[in-house]
Amino acid sequence: FFFFFFFFKQKTAYEMLRSLVGSEMCIRDREDIDGLPILDKETAINQLDDAELFETMLAGFEDMSMSSNLTDLKIAIENADYVNVRLTSHSLKGASSYIHAERVKTVASLMQTAVDSRQYNAVAKYYPELVKQCILLKRAIRKEVCAKNGKAFEEDSGDFDVPIAANFKVVKRSSNDFDVAQVKELAVPPANIVLEKGEDTADKRLKEVQEDEEGENNAEDGMEIKTNEEPKSACCSCIVI
């Protein structure tokens, strides 16, 4: 159960990253992103204080988080649904932070921030980089799993099998030399586009998502403070195990 908690409770991941976002926003050049570790195993294990838990999370990361988030992101981008582009980027950022997949976390964070600031055109810059880093992460995870199981790592064309929006394609020059290229312009909705029946606009929905997220994190802060308070009475109906 602990394993499932890590992947699906993204609001906690967001809270853990709030103090890091400012520094991440400075990493915008390809050279800087490539300078980050694809997978920072040592830091992840030190933070979790459990090497076995890290290996378990790593083995399930693709099926339990990366593939589903990339699928949702593919659909959102193809439909110019920037509300869900933002939500999915946030989800992937949170999940990748637990295994310290630094490149994926950083680019996902940049995509989320771009949508938050209504810089929709920037998504075309960050999305292909995010897909590329997910492919590299998929390969790094497979290499780690092979090493743990005492098996030799071999190149596999299946590493490139990731969900990708129709506006983009993987351009392979070799197994280790590839890029994700844009082949079709992205649709960018005006701020007042009606997304559903009524007066539900892109700006309105994004604002609601941001406010809800802020409220959840503030509520968590309040809950943490309460759990640290001393009991006010010896008569307590709660049993702490």
Side-chain angles (χ1 to χ4, degrees), residues 5-6 13 16 20 30 37 42 44 48 59 61 82-83 85 88 93 111 113 144 147 156 158 161 186 194 213 220 231:
F5 170 86
F6 268 100
M16 291 177 64
L20 302 177
R30 170 66 68 84
E42 183 178 353
L48 292 169
F61 182 78
Y82 286 87
V83 175
V85 168
T88 307
K93 179 188 75 173
M111 274 190 61
T113 302
E144 181 66 31
D156 188 344
D161 294 336
L186 294 182
V194 176
E213 186 177 280
E220 279 199 346

Side-chain angles (χ1 to χ4, degrees), residues 5 8 31 49 56 83 95 100 138 141 156-157 215 224 235 237:
F5 170 86
F8 294 109
E31 293 80 7
D49 195 27
T56 302
V83 175
H100 279 266
K138 182 178 179 179
I141 290 174
D156 188 344
S157 60
E224 290 173 359
C235 298
S237 59

Side-chain angles (χ1 to χ4, degrees), residues 74-83 85 115 119-124 165-168 182 184-190 193 195 202:
K74 170 186 182 295
I75 295 170
I77 285 179
E78 289 176 347
N79 291 299
D81 181 357
Y82 286 87
V83 175
V85 168
V115 179
Q119 300 295 317
Y120 299 120
N121 288 323
V123 172
N167 312 67
F168 300 85
Q182 185 174 356
K184 182 181 178 182
E185 290 296 319
L186 294 182
V188 179
I193 188 172
L195 300 178

Side-chain angles (χ1 to χ4, degrees), residues 13-14 19 36 45 55-56 58 71 89 94 115 126-127 131-132 135 144 147 152 155 168 203-204:
Y14 176 79
S19 61
L36 293 169
I45 291 176
E55 297 294 346
T56 302
L58 203 62
T71 297
S89 299
V115 179
Y126 296 129
Y127 176 71
V131 173
K132 178 178 180 178
I135 292 172
E144 181 66 31
E155 300 293 342
F168 300 85
D203 270 351
K204 179 182 176 183

Side-chain angles (χ1 to χ4, degrees), residues 192-202 204-205 208:
N192 62 348
I193 188 172
V194 176
L195 300 178
E196 297 176 355
K197 293 181 180 180
E199 299 180 354
D200 195 8
T201 66
K204 179 182 176 183
R205 285 187 63 193
E208 289 173 349

Side-chain angles (χ1 to χ4, degrees), residues 17 20-30 32-33 36 85-86 89-90 92-93 102-127 129-130 133:
L17 284 169
L20 302 177
V21 168
S23 61
E24 288 178 358
M25 294 305 100
C26 297
I27 305 173
R28 295 179 181 274
D29 297 326
R30 170 66 68 84
D32 291 326
I33 292 174
L36 293 169
V85 168
R86 193 265 184 203
S89 299
H90 173 70
L92 188 55
K93 179 188 75 173
E102 301 298 343
R103 296 189 190 182
V104 170
K105 181 185 74 174
T106 297
V107 183
S109 179
L110 291 170
M111 274 190 61
Q112 176 187 329
T113 302
V115 179
D116 280 343
S117 58
R118 311 303 189 264
Q119 300 295 317
Y120 299 120
N121 288 323
V123 172
K125 171 184 176 182
Y126 296 129
Y127 176 71
E129 185 66 29
L130 181 61
Q133 296 305 331

